[in-house]
Amino acid sequence: MPVAPGNPHGNPEAAQRQGALPSTPLRREVTLAPAGFPRGDTRHFRPAVGASDVAGPVHSAMMSSQVVVNQGYNSQLPGSYPPLTPAKTLNPGSGHYYSGGSQGPGQTLHRPPVAANPAVPSLHSGPVPRMPAPASQSPAATPRPSGGFLPGASPLPPVTWQHSYPSMGSQVNHYPPAPSQPPVPGSTNLSTNHQYVSSGDPLLQNSYGKSGITSNTNSGSLMAHSNYDEIEGGGFLATPQLATKNPQISRSVGYTYPSLPPGYQNVPPPSSATGMPPSSLNYPSGPQAFPQAPLGANHLTASMGGLSLHPEGLRVVNLLQERKMLPSTPLQPPVPNLHEDIQKLNCNPELFRCTLTSIPQTQALLNKAKLPLGLLLHPFKDLVQLPVVTSSTIVRCRSCRTYINPFVSFLDQRRWKCNLCYRVNDVPEEFMYNPLTRVYGEPHRRPEVQNATIEFMAPSEYMLRPPQPPVYLFVFDVSHNAVETGYLNSVCQSLLDNLDLLPGNTRTKIGFVTFDSTIHFYSLQEGLSQPQMLVISDIDDVFIPMPENLLVNLNESKELVQGLLKTLPQMFTKSLETQSALGPALQAAFKLMAPTGGRISVFQTQLPTLGVGALKPREEPNQRSSAKEIHLTPSTDFYKKLALDCSGQQVAVDLFLLSGQYSDLASLGCISRYSAGSVYYYPSYHHQQNPVQVQKLQKELQRYLTRKIGFEAVMRIRCTKGLSIHTFHGNFFVRSTDLLSLPNVNPDAGYAVQMSVEESLTDTQLVSFQSALLYTSSKGERRIRVHTLCLPVVSTLNEVFLGADVQAISGLLANMAVDRSVTASLSDARDALVNAVIDSLSAYRSSVLSNQQPGLMVPFSLRLFPLFVLALLKQKSFQTGTNARLDERIFAMCQVKNQPLVYLMLTTHPSLYRVDNLSDEGALSISDRTVPQPPILQLSVENLSRDGAFLMDAGSILMLWVGKNCAQNFLSQVLGVQNYASIPPIMTDLPELDTPESARTLAFISWLREQRPFFPVLYILRDESPMKANFLQHMVEDRTESALSYYEFLLHIQQQVNK
Ligand SMILES: [Zn+2]
């Protein structure tokens, strides 16, 4: 870590004196103003470079930005076009980021929140009346323009997007580089390309130095240390006209494919065998000459309507008559109605999904459907197979910066047409060679054109500084409360177990901070015989003593780190300090991490009480069940501001909250949300009293510590011209108009975006969406993960409905409802959810159905829509009438925003299985295991019986309810008990018995657990168990005191629809 010359903190003698605690490691206390330690100089951490006192941080930011701008990015980098809407981009002069997040937790851009519709019935906000709801709730004359969520908002300027993703440890296929550079067999390490310094450009190095400048946390001002927007490339702003106006730009981006590289000068022209016959230049024939030809071609006719739809999909369902619509196997996403040649290349729906798999060709048509248009992404998901391309040239559209993908068209061998902006681009010479087949002259068979999901090794143009090392800082609450929970034992042990598995390389750095009313640092300098503790008691003006010894190289200081982890849990066992200075501790952590970036993992067990960021209890238990006046918004902007500072320095903060008391997660969670971190919550964690939580923490830490991680990432999503992306959901910061800043990215995070149709798509039959995630892997490689999704455009309302993806729609609505809860109110959000169903089904009834039949007629695609929305209303985030703790509700909302769709749906609508009669029929065979696949049951007590045992999979929790008259066979062969009465009151594990029944049950449960990155705990419930209420609460279809049954809900919907 660079230390400024003369930085007094580099002088440990001046900053410490002997402390009082005798425990190991040595404890030293840093006093407020020791003699000879000039306060004015010591209280402020000095950046390594620049930042004079006179200029202040803003000036530094300007300098930094100017360095970026002037150092030749405009003339060297792809995508160095001026921003489309300057007002929304980083303004170097102000030193502030444009903060989309300031408008609310959804980080909504451009679009003001939709006004609440006062006429909307408040169906579920309070004690629920008998159905049907009073007619007066919604005047019949009032159109429902909103559905609460879906305004006919005016289209937005076109925006393009890119993301980058961190790399993964899974198996990858490495394609050798094109022969324009010497092939390095099996090598993926482009270290030379990644050494920015080796570019020999001093300005670049200078830029890196400047990036170490810290910003002023207290003021919340942010600085531009880098401009990833320029690296990643802008959007449609880079039109051909613009490029023409600024020839220097277009010439310099490196995508102009100028002259042949020397090795190619003498390559003979492609033979006619692989080449394109001249007659096909106009591209009418396609497949024979270019197998990919049908893909990007807009000549694909719309005559394929219904091609990939199962006849069942065309059915109209009367939900009041057909009440069992839930499939007995997991619901599959709809398959877009595309030619099979295209669909077979399309992006996996687990990674990239659209709410409407048939895109309405105009906003007017979309408005008519009253369904939300948006994307759900799981961009950094662990993949079994990921093609990785190492090539000197990453081929992108010169206009919009789209990465070449399976859905572009090749006009001939030398030209390809962008599927997002339709610009015709040259095929660079290197791209003519296919490294897979080792054949020249078939660019359309390159892996980039054959894979909708692909990863590129990024050359140095994609770096603003040398790739950062992996840096991990752990911040532990060690107050009396924390010690009482006993969590430190678990966490330190887990760290010891996984220390060698932390993703990284020889550059990995690690550090530890603990805090109660004071802040404790640990010097782990190589050569010390034991760690040294340094105590900072001035929490009002935190500084970092000897920073170079606090974050240390893990390899070099491993023994010290292990020693610290072994002693840490015992060091504070006698502490009586009850105060918690979380805010100052986070400030200290930020200062420590700012020069490099990295990941902060903070463990907190109570409401912070001291220093900046101190919070007051504000939960009123008697209001828990009300939908009004509950505190869903942060009580301070401290955590958000600090998170934005972290984001600016490539630092993400993950929060582990282990608390039985109210801890104001609404405020604390901001530290993770805006820094692209994650929130973990273990209510009532206790090492003895709550063994299930202990197990859960251990399992999840194992995953957390060892999963892949990407650093200093940005993500952008681009879409075909005419579509526009306007609102983002997830944990990140919107750095400029459309660029998501992700200081860390992990494989378990999901994102969602909303879109509108801005220009008519009548001239096109296909549209595409592309996400690009640019990140630094834990091995120090700069990589770009690209996903491209292609969908058909349709012109009729019926087709829009036929292609609706009900899970994606429900997931997007849930995200929107969280925003609405925060910006308006919970009851408003609930109304909007209900109206989303009513409005879309009304539209279907009035505009698609020709004859007005009685009943509640829905398209087959939306047959589960009312059920899923009802499930959302009963989900922890949005439920009313229960005694849900505020922090638990907030956590559920965090999960909605941050979880990939598949887990969100499981949490919302759990899967119920009967497991006392598992058989091998239809079982999966995985390795040498046989995993039974019992049918999924509807969530109603009707499906339970006392002579059975039922497993409910609610995502993060598994509940096995055992009926009173459950067969003796199951009790003895699976539970290992003599009879029903001997089932222990608290049972959280199944014994491993040597019976086929036991093997089947255990195989099924562990298979369920393996499906997800978090660890669902298991509870075995007897009929009289207090947790049975929890089990029944998930019975979404049943009526409760405060919520409608599914049938009642359908009646209500029908009444509203038929108005
Ligand atoms: Zn383009």
Side-chain angles (χ1 to χ4, degrees), residues 222-234:
L222 295 165
M223 284 172 245
H225 300 292
S226 55
N227 194 336
Y228 284 105
D229 203 19
E230 296 186 1
I231 283 188
E232 223 302 304

Side-chain angles (χ1 to χ4, degrees), residues 397 399-400 402 418 421:
C397 173
S399 270
C400 71
T402 291
C418 176
C421 75

Side-chain angles (χ1 to χ4, degrees), residues 755-996:
M755 291 189 297
S756 54
V757 183
E758 165 189 284
E759 292 169 27
S760 167
L761 300 167
T762 41
D763 292 336
T764 185
Q765 282 149 6
L766 298 174
V767 290
S768 297
F769 309 91
Q770 185 175 76
S771 74
L773 176 68
L774 172 64
Y775 70 97
T776 296
S777 78
S778 58
K779 307 289 182 209
E781 300 158 335
R782 204 68 176 143
R783 289 169 168 243
I784 310 162
R785 187 171 300 183
V786 177
H787 306 288
T788 313
L789 174 71
C790 180
L791 294 175
V793 175
V794 297
S795 57
T796 69
L797 202 53
N798 191 30
E799 289 169 294
V800 174
F801 278 110
L802 286 179
D805 180 338
V806 68
Q807 286 179 308
I809 289 171
S810 305
L812 184 62
L813 287 175
N815 274 280
M816 294 159 77
V818 169
D819 285 3
R820 181 64 64 84
S821 302
V822 175
T823 56
S825 70
L826 194 56
S827 55
D828 206 20
R830 292 169 54 87
D831 293 344
L833 284 170
V834 176
N835 287 337
V837 179
I838 295 171
D839 291 344
S840 60
L841 297 186
S842 298
Y844 183 73
R845 178 186 157 90
S846 62
S847 303
V848 177
L849 292 181
S850 47
N851 52 340
Q852 301 298 319
Q853 304 146 343
L856 182 56
M857 310 306 291
V858 304
F860 188 76
S861 61
L862 292 179
R863 67 200 184 281
L864 297 173
F865 194 22
L867 178 63
F868 287 165
V869 165
L870 180 64
L872 279 173
L873 296 172
K874 297 182 178 186
Q875 209 241 30
K876 224 165 217 168
S877 305
F878 309 112
Q879 68 187 1
T880 55
T882 62
N883 207 19
R885 286 181 177 181
L886 185 49
D887 278 346
E888 291 188 17
R889 183 189 297 277
I890 302 280
F891 178 65
M893 289 182 166
C894 292
Q895 296 283 82
V896 168
K897 285 282 191 160
N898 195 33
Q899 274 195 330
L901 179 64
V902 54
Y903 309 124
L904 169 59
M905 288 313 295
L906 204 48
T907 310
T908 302
H909 188 275
S911 296
L912 180 68
Y913 307 92
R914 180 165 188 163
V915 293
D916 60 303
N917 54 2
L918 291 178
S919 76
D920 289 346
E921 194 188 326
L924 295 178
S925 225
I926 302 175
S927 313
D928 12 346
R929 286 184 306 162
T930 302
V931 182
Q933 297 291 298
I936 295 175
L937 306 173
Q938 284 181 292
L939 291 171
S940 167
V941 289
E942 278 178 23
N943 290 315
L944 303 180
S945 63
R946 295 197 172 191
D947 59 355
F950 295 83
L951 182 72
M952 181 183 286
D953 175 7
S956 61
I957 183 171
L958 299 170
M959 287 178 277
L960 176 59
W961 175 78
V962 184
K964 259 188 184 143
N965 305 328
C966 184
Q968 178 61 34
N969 190 44
F970 184 78
L971 297 176
S972 56
Q973 306 298 307
V974 176
L975 300 183
V977 294
Q978 295 280 328
N979 50 44
Y980 182 78
S982 47
I983 299 174
I986 297 178
M987 183 173 179
T988 59
D989 225 346
L990 289 178
E992 273 188 53
L993 305 177
D994 194 16
T995 65

Side-chain angles (χ1 to χ4, degrees), residues 275-446:
M276 186 68 160
S279 63
S280 57
L281 281 180
N282 289 332
Y283 199 30
S285 59
Q288 287 73 22
F290 286 148
Q292 104 304 340
L295 304 185
N298 280 328
H299 69 233
L300 263 187
T301 63
S303 64
M304 295 173 295
L307 191 73
S308 59
L309 273 179
H310 193 273
E312 174 101 40
L314 300 169
R315 203 155 73 80
V316 180
V317 177
N318 181 353
L319 284 181
L320 291 178
Q321 279 176 4
E322 298 189 53
R323 294 187 51 204
K324 305 215 164 172
M325 294 312 299
L326 189 75
S328 61
T329 55
L331 187 62
Q332 297 301 312
V335 179
N337 188 18
L338 291 167
H339 191 282
E340 61 181 334
D341 286 346
I342 304 180
Q343 183 51 31
K344 74 182 181 197
L345 289 174
N346 223 346
C347 195
N348 185 333
E350 290 176 6
L351 306 173
F352 210 153
R353 232 162 128 168
C354 187
T355 54
L356 304 177
T357 63
S358 293
I359 302 292
Q361 79 182 177
T362 63
Q363 180 70 33
L365 186 58
L366 175 59
N367 290 347
K368 243 181 162 180
K370 301 285 184 188
L371 289 169
L373 178 59
L375 302 169
L376 288 105
L377 297 92
H378 188 180
F380 200 48
K381 181 181 174 17
D382 286 333
L383 300 175
V384 177
Q385 237 196 357
L386 175 71
V388 176
V389 170
T390 301
S391 170
S392 56
T393 304
I394 297 176
V395 179
R396 299 172 66 183
C397 173
R398 282 179 60 185
S399 270
C400 71
R401 314 306 304 148
T402 291
Y403 295 79
I404 198 167
N405 61 73
F407 314 108
V408 305
S409 340
F410 280 88
L411 303 187
D412 54 47
Q413 273 200 331
R414 293 293 177 171
R415 293 180 303 156
W416 63 278
K417 188 172 174 186
C418 176
N419 51 327
L420 271 68
C421 75
Y422 309 123
R423 179 189 169 113
V424 175
N425 292 274
D426 296 334
V427 174
E429 185 59 38
E430 306 94 285
F431 206 74
M432 295 296 291
Y433 177 81
N434 184 354
L436 281 186
T437 58
R438 301 186 184 277
V439 171
Y440 183 90
E442 43 176 45
H444 53 281
R445 290 203 174 132
R446 294 261 310 194

Side-chain angles (χ1 to χ4, degrees), residues 435-691:
L436 281 186
T437 58
R438 301 186 184 277
V439 171
Y440 183 90
E442 43 176 45
H444 53 281
R445 290 203 174 132
R446 294 261 310 194
E448 295 92 328
V449 191
Q450 291 294 322
N451 293 281
T453 290
I454 197 159
E455 187 152 290
F456 297 97
M457 306 293 291
S460 58
E461 300 98 274
Y462 290 83
M463 303 169 198
L464 290 168
R465 60 177 191 176
Q468 70 166 78
V471 185
Y472 303 110
L473 180 66
F474 295 89
V475 180
F476 295 130
D477 178 357
V478 293
S479 64
H480 178 71
N481 195 57
V483 171
E484 280 292 290
T485 69
Y487 88 89
L488 262 181
N489 266 318
S490 279
V491 175
C492 288
Q493 189 56 48
S494 189
L495 260 166
L496 277 170
D497 295 343
N498 294 294
L499 210 50
D500 292 329
L501 300 174
L502 281 175
N505 55 12
T506 54
R507 297 199 300 159
T508 306
K509 287 181 161 192
I510 196 167
F512 300 89
V513 171
T514 58
F515 67 98
D516 40 37
S517 63
T518 58
I519 301 170
H520 329 125
F521 297 96
Y522 298 86
S523 170
L524 300 163
Q525 188 186 14
E526 194 186 3
L528 285 178
S529 57
Q530 57 186 338
Q532 276 187 326
M533 183 200 229
L534 310 161
V535 178
I536 303 289
S537 49
D538 180 6
I539 58 163
D540 294 328
D541 200 0
V542 175
F543 73 100
I544 310 293
M546 44 196 305
E548 71 275 21
N549 297 337
L550 304 180
L551 276 177
V552 296
N553 183 290
L554 178 58
N555 278 354
E556 291 164 7
S557 297
K558 189 172 282 177
E559 286 182 12
L560 281 173
V561 169
Q562 287 167 333
L564 177 63
L565 289 171
K566 283 173 189 158
T567 52
L568 207 50
Q570 279 75 51
M571 284 169 55
F572 301 93
T573 45
K574 300 209 170 72
S575 170
L576 296 175
E577 183 55 73
T578 57
Q579 303 280 8
S580 168
L582 174 67
L586 286 171
Q587 283 182 324
F590 165 65
K591 287 181 176 178
L592 202 48
M593 297 289 277
T596 50
R599 181 177 78 190
I600 297 174
S601 314
V602 56
F603 293 77
Q604 173 73 4
T605 66
Q606 59 178 314
L607 199 67
T609 53
L610 274 188
V612 287
L615 300 169
K616 293 200 168 54
R618 51 184 183 141
E619 180 185 39
E620 296 173 42
N622 58 359
Q623 288 184 353
R624 276 179 190 165
S625 61
S626 161
K628 298 187 173 80
E629 304 297 322
I630 57 174
H631 297 288
L632 300 174
T633 51
S635 61
T636 167
D637 63 358
F638 169 79
Y639 294 97
K640 177 177 176 182
K641 281 183 169 173
L642 186 56
L644 297 187
D645 284 349
C646 286
S647 177
Q649 300 295 346
Q650 305 299 343
V651 175
V653 184
D654 295 325
L655 173 65
F656 290 79
L657 183 61
L658 311 96
S659 174
Q661 305 294 319
Y662 173 72
S663 302
D664 197 352
L665 190 55
S667 301
L668 294 183
C670 292
I671 192 70
S672 298
R673 151 178 266 158
Y674 296 103
S675 69
S678 312
V679 174
Y680 295 81
Y681 183 41
Y682 305 88
S684 307
Y685 184 94
H686 193 277
H687 66 117
Q688 286 168 337
Q689 295 157 20
N690 202 340

